[in-house]
Amino acid sequence: MTDRVTIFDTTLRDGEQSPGASMNTAEKLRLATQLEKLGVDVIEAGFPAASEGDLEAVSRIAGKLERTEVAALARTAKEDIDRAWKAIRHAAKPRIHTFIATSDIHLEYKLKMSRDEVVNAAVEAVKYAKTLTENIEFSSEDGSRSDRDFLCRVFEAAIDAGATTINLPDTVGYAVPEEFADLVGYVRNHTPNIGKAVFSVHCHNDLGLATANTLAAIKAGARQAEVTINGIGERAGNTSLEEIVMALHTRQNILPATTNINTRFIHPTSRLVSMITGIMVQPNKAIVGANAFAHEAGIHQDGVLKNRMTYEIMKPETIGLSTNKLVLGKHSGRHALREHLKEMGYDLSSEELNLVFEKFKELADKKKHIVDEDLEVIVTEGILRTSDVFKLEYLHVTAGTTVLPMASVKLNIQGRSVQSAGYGNGPIDAAFNTIANLTGTESELLRFSISALTGGTDAQGEVTVRLRENGLTALGKGADPDIITASARAYINGLNRLEYLKSHPIKEAAGL
Ligand code: KIV
Ligand code: ZN
């Protein structure tokens, strides 16, 4: 048996199911390219039956990636499989991923199907998918709560029908490690043809055990781990890629399995996902949290200064965290910028570099030292937001103890410049009111938070907003040394995301 674990990344599918995490096509393409660079083996690019937007995004990703397998999710219905295939048929390495629930509770209440009918649906789906491509993954949704012998029966039938990977999900995050490892062992020992397929697991984090369960499954013989960057995903999320990869990397003595991941791209990829989705990483998150390598206690700092390994089990550089944070300034040239961005994991085209360079110079006029976090914001804003409907051209606010807060705003709305002025309870409120007037939008501000990207009084403020309009919600993010400008940028970003959602309605994905 091989000791290599296949990394199947589902940030673009299960991750995108996180509340408020929807991404537009340009953002998905950017992330898929970064995941390929990171070295994931399979990218689950989406669920094409869910919406036209999903199908289009999966299709664009399939057309772009050269080395990585591109999987599309489908229920066992023929129409779902046809849409999945339509989206990935031109991929260099396509994979159809079909699934059906196998637990009694799902059979009785959701599917209203008997066990025989479920086996039949699984077999028919795999056989049909096999007429389209060789590479078929079959998943037993709610597998961890399914009857063990029925699970073995479904897997055996799916493999006989042509499945090349079988995936055992802990859909509701109910399993605990020992029990899950035991289940993996049982299925491996009681499914006669199991050797003909790769054994995969897919864990959710409802009890905070997704990583532990996945590692236990790998110890018990699983050889594919389904994961997301930063652990984002449905409800409490999925197993996080960085935790699995770094656990295998750090604990080779206990877990002798390897992955194809280039760990130096873990940190930039994590930042990219949080910038794109607007979902911040909690500071104490393992591996990629802001405090994951910070030592606060004096005794720890003293130890680290004497020998890093006293309190550090991994080197920050291994995950691509730059220890040399002071990077560039006003006089730095395009070449230095390109080289530094490369080191950070961003390999930009000349056109993209020009855009980033322009923004970098603008920021360097306001801020003396540009650090990695600043560059990340520029890259994300400069490259990913070029297809925005609303763009900020100009903002001026007056506020203070004796004046009525007022904002003058100029926006570019699809090539047309418009401007106006308005009042509010404070300068941010005034800016938001004026932007809402200019864009003709009526969103409700559900959340507003602000944090500093780095230390120092010239740090950029990073603002996150959550907006709701006509039942749609979207997150917006913006950064700038001026917190009112950062707020306006975040608000406009949120409005752009709402515009995207309005033009890409998501059909209810039954069964997910
Ligand atoms: O959690 C789950 O069961 C899933 C399947 C579709 C694999 O996401
Ligand atoms: Zn899932």
Side-chain angles (χ1 to χ4, degrees):
M1 181 185 298
T2 170
D3 63 351
R4 178 135 114 66
V5 174
T6 298
I7 296 293
F8 175 113
D9 182 280
T10 182
T11 309
L12 287 162
R13 200 277 297 168
D14 220 327
E16 213 215 4
Q17 288 172 221
S18 310
S22 65
M23 308 172 218
N24 67 34
T25 304
E27 291 167 338
K28 286 182 180 176
L29 266 173
R30 182 86 207 162
L31 179 55
T33 310
Q34 179 69 19
L35 290 170
E36 180 161 76
K37 190 182 291 176
L38 178 65
V40 311
D41 301 285
V42 189
I43 290 177
E44 185 162 58
F47 180 32
S51 70
E52 283 307 318
D54 244 56
L55 193 147
E56 186 204 321
V58 177
S59 169
R60 298 272 303 275
I61 292 167
K64 180 145 195 210
L65 300 188
E66 288 163 8
R67 300 186 303 277
T68 317
E69 283 183 35
V70 179
L73 186 67
R75 286 164 292 192
T76 49
K78 184 172 175 293
E79 310 81 73
D80 266 36
I81 296 172
D82 284 335
R83 280 180 72 89
W85 183 237
K86 187 173 173 197
I88 56 166
R89 60 187 309 158
H90 53 295
K93 297 179 183 173
R95 176 186 292 203
I96 294 176
H97 177 192
T98 185
F99 74 97
I100 190 162
T102 50
S103 66
D104 288 339
I105 186 168
H106 277 239
L107 264 62
E108 185 178 347
Y109 295 101
K110 189 182 82 174
L111 298 176
K112 302 196 188 323
M113 285 167 83
S114 68
R115 287 187 176 182
D116 286 348
E117 285 169 330
V118 165
V119 175
N120 202 34
V123 167
E124 289 309 311
V126 174
K127 275 192 181 159
Y128 179 59
K130 200 75 179 178
T131 64
L132 306 169
T133 175
E134 261 308 299
N135 192 358
I136 312 294
E137 172 165 337
F138 169 75
S139 285
S140 58
E141 193 192 10
D142 206 17
S144 60
R145 292 194 302 166
S146 304
D147 176 82
R148 291 179 164 209
D149 292 317
F150 180 56
L151 206 50
C152 298
R153 184 180 153 205
V154 179
F155 282 156
E156 183 181 357
I159 295 168
D160 272 346
T164 41
T165 299
I166 52 107
N167 179 41
L168 171 52
D170 182 25
T171 304
V172 289
Y174 181 72
V176 296
E178 230 176 63
E179 172 199 37
F180 197 56
D182 189 57
L183 178 60
V184 171
Y186 186 90
V187 174
R188 290 186 66 223
N189 288 329
H190 293 83
T191 308
N193 53 2
I194 199 76
K196 292 190 186 156
V198 174
F199 199 114
S200 169
V201 288
H202 172 116
C203 297
H204 279 267
N205 204 30
D206 299 66
L207 293 172
L209 293 170
T211 297
N213 286 334
T214 302
L215 289 175
I218 291 171
K219 272 215 99 169
R223 284 297 174 266
Q224 174 175 285
E226 301 203 349
V227 293
T228 61
I229 302 291
N230 299 340
I232 64 168
E234 188 80 29
R235 304 183 311 280
N238 290 57
T239 306
S240 92
L241 177 145
E242 59 277 9
E243 292 174 14
I244 292 299
V245 169
M246 290 312 291
L248 295 179
H249 185 91
T250 310
R251 298 307 311 273
Q252 278 290 298
N253 55 334
I254 306 281
L255 300 156
T258 57
T259 70
N260 204 25
I261 297 295
N262 182 342
T263 59
R264 284 198 6 92
F265 293 126
I266 286 180
H267 181 70
T269 312
S270 160
R271 287 291 303 168
L272 183 67
V273 168
S274 76
M275 294 295 299
I276 289 179
T277 59
I279 299 176
M280 292 209 213
V281 173
Q282 76 194 59
N284 58 324
K285 163 87 177 63
I287 320 292
V288 292
N291 295 344
F293 292 91
H295 302 280
E296 192 71 21
I299 190 168
H300 288 206
Q301 288 173 350
D302 181 55
V304 168
L305 285 173
K306 287 173 177 148
N307 180 336
R308 297 198 75 88
M309 289 299 153
T310 50
Y311 286 99
E312 268 181 16
I313 57 165
M314 299 164 272
K315 292 195 182 109
E317 304 86 273
T318 311
I319 61 148
L321 198 59
S322 162
T323 41
N324 172 17
K325 285 202 155 226
L326 180 64
V327 286
L328 303 162
K330 198 174 172 150
H331 303 294
S332 307
R334 200 178 296 256
H335 180 71
L337 179 66
R338 181 198 283 272
E339 287 311 300
H340 193 79
L341 286 169
K342 250 194 203 160
E343 265 176 42
M344 289 171 66
Y346 300 112
D347 206 354
L348 305 185
S349 68
S350 314
E351 206 181 299
E352 288 172 337
L353 183 72
N354 287 345
L355 257 166
V356 171
F357 189 64
E358 204 180 296
K359 303 246 176 213
F360 161 73
K361 284 286 177 188
E362 272 170 31
L363 183 63
D365 275 337
K366 300 187 204 160
K367 190 172 185 282
K368 199 165 169 203
H369 301 306
I370 310 288
V371 296
D372 289 359
E373 286 86 343
D374 297 318
L375 291 178
E376 276 160 0
V377 171
I378 295 175
V379 170
T380 318
E381 293 200 336
I383 294 171
L384 296 174
R385 297 191 185 161
T386 43
S387 56
D388 285 351
V389 175
F390 310 122
K391 288 183 187 149
L392 180 66
E393 286 194 339
Y394 166 91
L395 170 71
H396 178 85
V397 287
T398 44
T401 49
T402 53
V403 289
L404 195 57
M406 196 195 98
S408 312
V409 180
K410 191 170 178 187
L411 293 183
N412 183 303
I413 304 184
Q414 286 176 318
R416 198 169 48 91
S417 276
V418 290
Q419 58 185 334
S420 178
Y423 297 98
N425 287 328
I428 295 176
D429 192 42
F432 285 12
N433 288 342
T434 314
I435 293 166
N437 265 338
L438 280 171
T439 53
T441 51
E442 290 181 347
S443 66
E444 185 189 345
L445 181 65
L446 301 178
R447 198 178 91 198
F448 177 90
S449 68
I450 185 157
S451 58
L453 258 183
T454 54
T457 49
D458 71 345
Q460 293 206 73
E462 188 176 39
V463 174
T464 305
V465 297
R466 191 173 178 83
L467 305 178
R468 179 165 56 203
E469 194 180 18
N470 298 331
L472 298 170
T473 56
L475 283 168
K477 263 177 165 294
D480 197 274
D482 175 324
I483 56 170
I484 298 166
T485 308
S487 306
R489 288 193 196 287
Y491 188 63
I492 292 169
N493 179 235
L495 293 180
N496 278 315
R497 285 171 181 270
L498 281 174
E499 287 305 303
Y500 178 80
L501 290 178
K502 284 180 206 165
S503 55
H504 292 78
I506 296 181
K507 246 201 300 161
E508 264 316 297
L512 277 183

